[in-house]
Amino acid sequence: MASSAAAIVLAAGLGTRMKSSLPKVLHPVLGRPMVAHVAAAAAQAGVDRLVVVVGPEGDAVARVVAPHPTVVQHDRLGTGHAALQARAALEGFTGTVVVLCGDAPLLRPETVRALIDARESAGAGVAVLGFEAAEPGAYGRLMLEDGSSLTAIVEAKEATPEQLAVRWCNSGVLAIDGAALWGWLDRISNANAKGEYYLTDVVALARADGRACVMVPCPEQEVMGVNARAELAVCETVAQNRMRQQAMADGVTLIDPATTYFSWDTRLGRDVTVGPFTVFGPGVTVADGVEIKGFCHFEDCTVAAGASVGPYARLRPGAEIGEGAHIGNFVEVKKATVEAGAKVNHLSYIGDAFVGAKANIGAGTITCNYDGFGKYKTTIGAGAFVGSNSSLVAPVTIGDGAIVGAGSVITRDVEADALGVTRAEQVQKSGWAARFRDVKRAAKLALSAKK
Ligand code: UD1
Ligand code: CA
């Protein structure tokens, strides 16, 4: 059985370069705050206790990561000092403690797991997730011997030219022996170029105590941190590409992967086909065999098997599309159930509504659900037929099998199998149009003769 692991997520950074009133770690990737991705990766890796270190204005972060506890780092004195703030919250814990960064949302659970396993199987004091940097720049350098054995991490500001030439860098993710961690953190000093307590000093301290330290390599992209909006956009693209690859691996056809946008929790069944320029907002579940014909927008909704949606459809929160139903072009559905086999094919707004099985909703039908004060429900029975360009003024019920005449404004219930129609009677005046044209032409001729 794997021993238990805990995590400390560092998120007290100011994020100044984001130029935002939102704390940096709450900026979303795939529609989910970055710090929530980090916490989820840790949880999926088998971490069962997690503490987030936030700055003095960390209330919003605390709400997002709840029920995980947060601790406040009042003065930003460095990563070693930040980790130390979690001591009371992890009192008595002697398993592996993983330190993670709240602004690096691409880290995968299997990588966190591999780091924990590497530390435990080597009996190491510290295991560090390292990467070979394209541009090592300001990253801490990993001092390695024999490939993966680590003697120290040297921060760029402290490094000699030889050390700076090392390409292996510290990702900022470390797995540390929890039984020794707090003793090492206590011994870290701030006598260095930045006057900060460097968490990275734990490696040299562990080695001084006779403990082995190891480096676990990982791709640079996976440990990419976000400091500015341009990096946030890069992370978003990487995360979107992962979702696209996963969807296709799971049996979804994406006609144009690059213009299909996912949320972190998008769930698409097998043999779903997604046309180009489709956006899945949060909370979307699409069952097997659904055809999405492109240019569609989904949010907090479900689509049952075999339905067809779009092109140019918008499914808003609470839309529940039944099996084999058709939602066509320029149709908006909000907080409405459209039962199996029903058709809403063109130019409609269906909001706060129930549409029964196999009902047919004509082009341009609008549920008038709002009077400026409240929202009201429209119920359309199974097999009902609503003629084109009808306004259904809620609250109102159209019975099973009823027909609503095209162009009607329906303000009262229509009983089952009845016809409801509110049109004025049609009149016909024979020859009227021809006489009208004669009169108009004559008048126009008389006018031009005068000039
Ligand atoms: C740190 C590492 C460096 C590594 C790099 C990877 C140290 C001393 N250096 O450098 O070896 O290559 O990350 O990105 O650890 N934070 C706090 N409180 C603080 C300081 C930082 O919570 O007092 C948090 C930040 O919000 C961030 C993380 O710790 O999530 C890393 O801090 P940052 O300032 O980015 O560290 P670097 O100097 O870049
Ligand atoms: Ca950084």
Side-chain angles (χ1 to χ4, degrees), residues 300-378:
D300 266 318
C301 61
T302 61
V303 182
S308 116
V309 181
Y312 303 99
R314 180 167 182 214
L315 301 187
R316 292 175 51 205
E320 291 180 11
I321 310 305
E323 263 187 53
H326 286 208
I327 304 296
N329 46 251
F330 307 104
V331 170
E332 174 178 343
V333 181
K334 184 220 74 166
K335 202 174 169 193
T337 298
V338 176
E339 296 255 281
K343 293 180 179 168
V344 191
N345 273 332
H346 339 261
L347 301 154
S348 283
Y349 172 59
I350 304 295
D352 300 292
F354 171 89
V355 178
K358 294 193 171 163
N360 191 308
I361 309 298
T365 298
I366 305 293
T367 54
C368 309
N369 60 327
Y370 183 55
D371 60 5
F373 296 91
K375 297 268 169 73
Y376 309 94
K377 187 167 180 182
T378 301

Side-chain angles (χ1 to χ4, degrees), residues 103-119:
D103 58 1
L106 298 174
L107 188 63
R108 293 175 309 137
E110 43 277 41
T111 306
V112 178
R113 189 67 242 171
L115 187 70
I116 295 168
D117 291 345
R119 190 203 76 77

Side-chain angles (χ1 to χ4, degrees), residues 10 12-13 73 76-79 82 139-140 155 170-171 194 198 200:
L10 304 184
Q73 183 192 26
R76 210 175 169 280
L77 303 179
T79 49
Y139 290 117
E155 288 304 297
N170 170 28
S171 66
K194 281 175 137 181
Y198 294 156
T200 45

